[in-house]
Amino acid sequence: DAKTTQPPSMDCAEGRAANLPCNHSTISGNEYVYWYRQIHSQGPQYIIHGLKNNETNEMASLIITEDRKSSTLILPHATLRDTAVYYCIVRVASNTGKLIFGQGTTLQVKP
Amino acid sequence: GAVVSQHPSRVICKSGTSVKIECRSLDFQATTMFWYRQFPKKSLMLMATSNEGSKATYEQGVEKDKFLINHASLTLSTLTVTSAHPEDSSFYICSARTASGSSGELFFGEGSRLTVL
């Protein structure tokens, strides 16, 4: 599975959009981009995933560049409860399904 | 989303004893489950892939005799830390897929914090 690069930390003001970048320049054509987050002392929570089209759900939007070498997770109106470590992961859609976590981005939402 | 439950959420044991952690998929069947461990301020490290009805596949560097994994049914996988020592103290997390052969997402349990005295 391709490696990803994320900034170690980011701050965001409450109520503003949080834009979390991820570089995955070695991504293969059959690899999806997944985003998870982990709130302190809890298990990771699935946010969203995509292959090449932009995706949106009730939690967030995922913007994938046309060359698929990078993506951005957007939390449209960040709240204090969105403070967490956000992990960007790329993997092949196969029935092995395992996820390899990098170091992620610690997002601190401030009042 | 699908629910994965772990038990116990916290356990304290004496050095040399064995501890069993359960991972259950509550509202779906999971042919494959995964076990991770996480040290403070570190990322999750994949330990093993648990396959229903067959032997688990361990990641490089993980001792299979130390961390026994059993996946006897489609809704339950167990991790047993044998002869636990203080260095085994960690946050153990399981996950399960909702569907095989697809891009289905993985759902994670709440985690089990093990403290070995």
Side-chain angles (χ1 to χ4, degrees):
Chain A
D1 292 339
K3 291 184 178 180
T4 62
T5 304
Q6 298 178 253
S9 64
M10 292 182 64
D11 289 343
C12 177
E14 187 179 19
R16 304 296 292 269
N19 298 290
L20 292 94
C22 180
N23 286 321
H24 30 79
S25 59
T26 60
I27 192 170
S28 300
N30 60 348
E31 288 183 312
Y32 285 72
V33 180
Y34 285 78
W35 283 85
Y36 283 79
R37 73 180 182 184
Q38 186 179 26
I39 296 170
H40 183 62
S41 294
Q42 296 182 23
Q45 176 188 23
Y46 166 80
I47 301 174
I48 199 167
H49 75 283
L51 183 62
K52 54 183 179 181
N53 296 322
N54 297 338
E55 302 288 343
T56 296
N57 62 21
E58 64 278 4
M59 288 183 67
S61 295
L62 173 61
I63 308 298
I64 303 174
T65 58
E66 193 168 341
D67 63 7
R68 302 207 326 120
K69 293 185 177 182
S70 66
S71 61
T72 301
L73 178 75
I74 302 173
L75 307 179
H77 305 286
T79 71
L80 298 179
R81 287 180 294 182
D82 291 321
T83 293
V85 180
Y86 287 76
Y87 295 99
C88 168
I89 304 166
V90 294
R91 74 166 179 91
V92 175
S94 72
N95 58 8
T96 60
K98 63 182 180 181
L99 293 176
I100 305 299
F101 286 79
Q103 296 306 306
T105 296
T106 299
L107 175 68
Q108 182 73 48
V109 180
K110 297 185 175 182
Chain B
V3 179
V4 176
S5 178
Q6 284 184 241
H7 178 80
S9 58
R10 292 178 180 272
V11 56
I12 300 173
C13 70
K14 293 182 178 180
S15 186
T17 61
S18 294
V19 175
K20 180 185 285 187
I21 300 170
E22 294 185 345
C23 177
R24 295 181 184 273
S25 55
L26 297 185
D27 51 0
F28 66 99
Q29 293 183 330
T31 55
T32 304
M33 292 184 175
F34 304 90
W35 286 96
Y36 294 81
R37 68 186 298 183
Q38 185 176 33
F39 293 108
K41 299 187 184 299
K42 299 293 184 182
S43 186
L44 285 79
M45 184 192 80
L46 180 64
M47 299 175 66
T49 301
S50 170
N51 300 297
E52 187 268 337
S54 64
K55 290 183 178 180
T57 303
Y58 290 82
E59 296 297 307
Q60 190 173 9
V62 178
E63 300 176 59
K64 63 177 69 176
D65 295 330
K66 173 75 171 177
F67 300 100
L68 300 180
I69 292 172
N70 182 276
H71 193 159
S73 78
L74 288 172
T75 59
L76 174 64
S77 176
T78 60
L79 168 68
T80 301
V81 182
T82 62
S83 186
H85 292 284
E87 57 265 31
D88 298 323
S89 298
S90 189
F91 193 49
Y92 292 89
I93 307 167
C94 73
S95 69
R97 289 197 63 188
T98 56
S100 62
S102 75
S103 65
E105 61 270 25
L106 281 176
F107 291 94
F108 287 80
E110 315 95 321
S112 299
R113 188 165 301 283
L114 170 64
T115 302
V116 185
L117 302 177

